[in-house]
Amino acid sequence: MEHNILVVGGNGLVGKTIIRILKSRNPDVNIFIGGRKGGTGNHLKIDVTDPRTFRMIKEKEIDLVILSVNDKEDHILRFVIENKIDYLDITKPTPDLVKAYAIAKNKAIQSRIVFSSGWMGGIVNGLVKMLAGNMQDIQEVKLFVYYSVKDLAGESSAHFMAENVAKLSSDMKITGRFL
């Protein structure tokens, strides 16, 4: 069975990583890259702010849309629900996630819809507390954040990371690498 996967934001740091992993683990799937400058071959012009560009998703018979860019108005989410296409969104900070979930829960869903924002550094403090048991035993937490300052998704990702990673206990030494 042939599968067509579209990675919207496939030209960015996160999107390229997703594509590399998909290709290495699933060499038989067709991977399409969606972006504002697409238009040839497997590079499709998909602009999350312009739903008219989504017609390519239907034309290419996409089975799964992976969203790795910020779609503030949830245009892609609405489109995939309406067209019964599987969807994975890895972009949302909590307030946007709540808003997207509210949209999805009020629709008749006939595909798989997955919201995944747990990768954000803001969950580190919760994980440390859960795994440590006793916070006094923690001397150091090493956090490696792969984030590009050239990211076109906007400032919210960096601000969210900075604000929430800083919530770790003040007596805990945090070391890390920001790219």
Side-chain angles (χ1 to χ4, degrees):
M1 175 183 233
E2 187 174 283
H3 293 286
N4 295 323
I5 298 174
L6 169 64
V7 180
V8 178
N11 293 310
L13 179 69
V14 173
K16 285 179 181 176
T17 302
I18 291 169
I19 290 168
R20 180 180 45 78
I21 292 168
L22 279 172
K23 284 181 178 179
S24 71
R25 295 182 182 174
N26 303 286
D28 295 333
V29 297
N30 297 319
I31 299 174
F32 293 88
I33 300 166
R36 291 176 284 206
K37 298 177 184 169
T40 60
N42 279 16
H43 291 263
L44 308 179
K45 181 174 172 71
I46 304 288
D47 182 345
V48 297
T49 65
D50 184 1
R52 294 172 297 184
T53 64
F54 302 169
R55 66 178 166 69
M56 293 301 296
I57 298 171
K58 295 275 294 183
E59 287 177 18
K60 297 295 182 180
E61 298 178 349
I62 300 298
D63 302 298
L64 167 65
V65 173
I66 300 173
L67 187 66
S68 67
V69 297
N70 192 356
D71 179 9
K72 288 191 178 287
E73 300 301 320
D74 293 304
H75 291 303
I76 296 272
L77 172 62
R78 296 171 204 276
F79 180 85
V80 297
I81 290 172
E82 180 180 314
N83 290 282
K84 303 175 184 103
I85 299 169
D86 292 341
Y87 175 77
L88 170 62
D89 185 333
I90 63 165
T91 66
K92 301 211 179 306
T94 304
D96 294 343
L97 184 64
V98 170
K99 183 179 122 199
Y101 178 73
I103 291 167
K105 80 175 186 174
N106 292 320
K107 304 281 184 185
I109 309 257
Q110 296 179 20
S111 59
R112 293 172 285 196
I113 306 295
V114 177
F115 300 114
S116 176
S117 65
W119 59 270
M120 293 180 206
I123 68 167
V124 171
N125 60 334
L127 290 173
V128 169
K129 287 177 183 176
M130 180 181 75
L131 295 173
N134 184 355
M135 292 297 284
Q136 284 80 20
D137 294 339
I138 300 171
Q139 295 178 7
E140 179 179 72
V141 173
K142 290 188 178 191
L143 174 64
F144 297 91
V145 176
Y146 295 95
Y147 178 83
S148 172
V149 294
K150 297 176 185 174
D151 189 348
L152 300 177
E155 63 185 27
S156 63
S157 298
H159 285 158
F160 182 87
M161 296 280 286
E163 291 167 9
N164 290 285
V165 170
K167 290 181 182 175
L168 281 165
S169 177
S170 60
D171 56 358
M172 199 184 308
K173 179 182 174 190
I174 301 173
T175 60
R177 184 179 308 152
F178 292 86
L179 302 176

